[in-house]
Amino acid sequence: MKIVFLGPPGSGKGTYSSRLVPKLGIPHISTGDLFRENIKNETALGKKVKEIIDAGKLVPDEVTAEMLKERIEKPDAKKGFILDGFPRTMSQVEALDKLTKIDIVINLILPDHILIKKIAARRQCRKCGDIYNLADINEDGIHMPPLLPKVEGKCDKCGGEIYQRDDDKEEIVMSRLDVYKKQTAPLIEYYRGKNLLKDVPVVGGPDIMVPNIIKVLETISS
Ligand code: AMP
């Protein structure tokens, strides 16, 4: 199955995608993680995109689409994948349409004031990218308990260091939400028009949301 996750920064795309991997047996492809990996390894691509990402802006479409193409052409993605953070512009939609046919688009919905709290409290493993969250959200019918590592500061999966992304800092977050609304939100109507979109309100943590998302995926696989 070829799945796209849409939704603003902080809506849970990465968290839910990574938890769906063992259940669906397809890879999680996050363009944000791929860029961060390149930045960490100081590759030519990493050097080119670091400033853009730190400023909360979008990397140019050609650069991102080329990186994505290389990744989804790898053998592990032949039978399907979960795309997180791509496409983000109409030009990226066109690039993706040329490469493959998407089966379903999950549109995660969460109000801005909760996104802002969640992003400020998000932490990530520097080594494997696993995501944690310090926020305890219980308002407006949304209950998301904190997702803490078992040992403070260390990733449960690989023991790597847990850190806060530079672009998750307050001054950058508003600009990322703005970029989402202007450049990515229009994709919602494009995919709705293609009958591929499923709106999924985020009401809880992964224990609630992963089964919810699986039920939605079953509506197309059955
Ligand atoms: P994410 O981890 O998805 O929040 O992505 C982090 C940052 O990487 C974004 O704010 C962008 O600067 C860059 N990025 C990730 N995916 C894309 C994309 N599809 N197009 C352009 N820039 C991207």
Side-chain angles (χ1 to χ4, degrees), residues 4 7 19 23 29 34 68 74 78 117 137 150 219 222:
V4 166
R19 283 166 164 80
K23 298 188 190 297
I29 301 179
L34 292 173
L68 190 273
K74 292 202 170 144
K78 281 279 172 288
K117 276 190 192 165
I137 290 163
K150 292 192 181 84
T219 62
S222 55

Side-chain angles (χ1 to χ4, degrees), residues 43-148:
T43 65
L45 174 64
K47 285 180 189 151
K48 189 148 116 191
V49 301
K50 184 176 183 332
E51 242 177 68
I52 304 172
I53 291 180
D54 284 350
K57 303 208 176 98
L58 291 187
V59 173
D61 287 330
E62 320 78 66
V63 176
T64 311
E66 182 56 33
M67 178 180 75
L68 190 273
K69 179 174 184 284
E70 277 176 25
R71 178 62 189 89
I72 67 172
E73 283 175 349
K74 292 202 170 144
D76 67 331
K78 281 279 172 288
K79 59 182 172 144
F81 47 74
I82 308 167
L83 278 189
D84 152 18
F86 189 99
R88 261 175 154 104
T89 64
M90 267 321 289
S91 150
Q92 293 180 14
V93 168
E94 284 157 23
L96 183 61
D97 282 348
K98 275 188 202 145
L99 285 174
T100 189
K101 194 177 152 300
I102 294 302
D103 297 306
I104 187 166
V105 178
I106 302 283
N107 179 37
L108 297 177
I109 300 169
L110 197 60
D112 277 7
H113 65 285
I114 299 197
L115 291 171
I116 292 164
K117 276 190 192 165
K118 275 197 67 204
I119 298 175
R122 173 160 64 186
R123 301 292 182 269
Q124 190 161 15
C125 172
R126 218 183 264 286
K127 210 162 141 199
C128 76
D130 209 26
I131 299 167
Y132 299 88
N133 207 296
L134 315 178
D136 190 357
I137 290 163
N138 197 357
E139 57 189 274
D140 302 338
I142 299 168
H143 179 49
M144 305 175 95
L147 289 174
L148 303 174

